[in-house]
Amino acid sequence: MKSIKITLVAMVLTLSATAQKKAFKLEGTAPASKEGAKVYLDYQNESGSVADSAIVKNGKFSFKGTVDEPSYSRMIFDHKNQGKYWIANVGDRLFFYLANENYKIEIKDSVQSARITGSPTQAAFESYIKEI
């Protein structure tokens, strides 16, 4: 009976820890002229490589997910819907640190010059880059 109680407590604690796991939320805006364009997000988590995509709709796009530690990530903005593999190495790209935080990304003309706010991890990275 005691071992059943211990097992149940362990299961509840595990489920509780899983349920409390934080996630990232990335909300972006793009000009109306980019309506229907695809945005790709590549990052790493405990499962391995993750490739996600979103479509700009009403000037907005978003991503949600989890990382177990800050992950150096890549966002690709496909202006002409050419496909990720065509533009992955030569297209409009942004590299940044993705952590379980809330992000706001404002794209005016290019994701390379996008403004990222809301993430202490990214702010620290940008400060570091300015110093070196």
Side-chain angles (χ1 to χ4, degrees):
M1 183 69 165
K2 187 175 183 180
S3 65
I4 292 174
K5 286 181 182 179
I6 291 172
T7 303
L8 287 173
V9 169
M11 287 174 54
V12 168
L13 289 175
T14 302
L15 290 173
S16 175
T18 302
Q20 293 176 3
K21 187 173 188 176
K22 293 190 83 175
F24 69 82
K25 182 177 180 184
L26 192 153
E27 295 178 332
T29 59
S33 63
K34 302 302 180 185
E35 189 74 13
K38 262 200 165 175
V39 183
Y40 299 96
L41 179 64
D42 298 321
Y43 62 95
Q44 298 278 325
N45 68 15
E46 62 275 2
S47 300
S49 294
V50 178
D52 200 356
S53 65
I55 296 175
V56 176
K57 186 174 181 181
N58 297 321
K60 298 179 182 182
F61 62 93
S62 66
F63 295 95
K64 293 179 184 178
T66 60
V67 292
D68 46 319
E69 61 186 19
S71 173
Y72 196 58
S73 305
R74 173 178 70 173
M75 180 178 287
I76 304 168
F77 195 80
D78 188 354
H79 297 264
K80 298 178 183 173
N81 290 317
Q82 295 174 301
K84 180 180 176 181
Y85 296 106
W86 181 256
I87 62 165
N89 295 313
V90 295
D92 189 10
R93 302 174 317 241
L94 171 69
F95 294 90
F96 66 103
Y97 273 95
L98 184 63
N100 291 324
E101 302 170 330
N102 293 324
Y103 293 77
K104 299 278 185 191
I105 297 183
E106 181 183 1
I107 300 172
K108 293 203 183 259
D109 59 349
S110 167
V111 75
Q112 290 176 351
S113 60
R115 184 167 175 243
I116 302 174
T117 58
S119 165
T121 301
Q122 181 63 20
F125 174 64
E126 290 173 2
S127 292
Y128 169 74
I129 292 298
K130 286 179 185 174
E131 292 292 322
I132 58 171

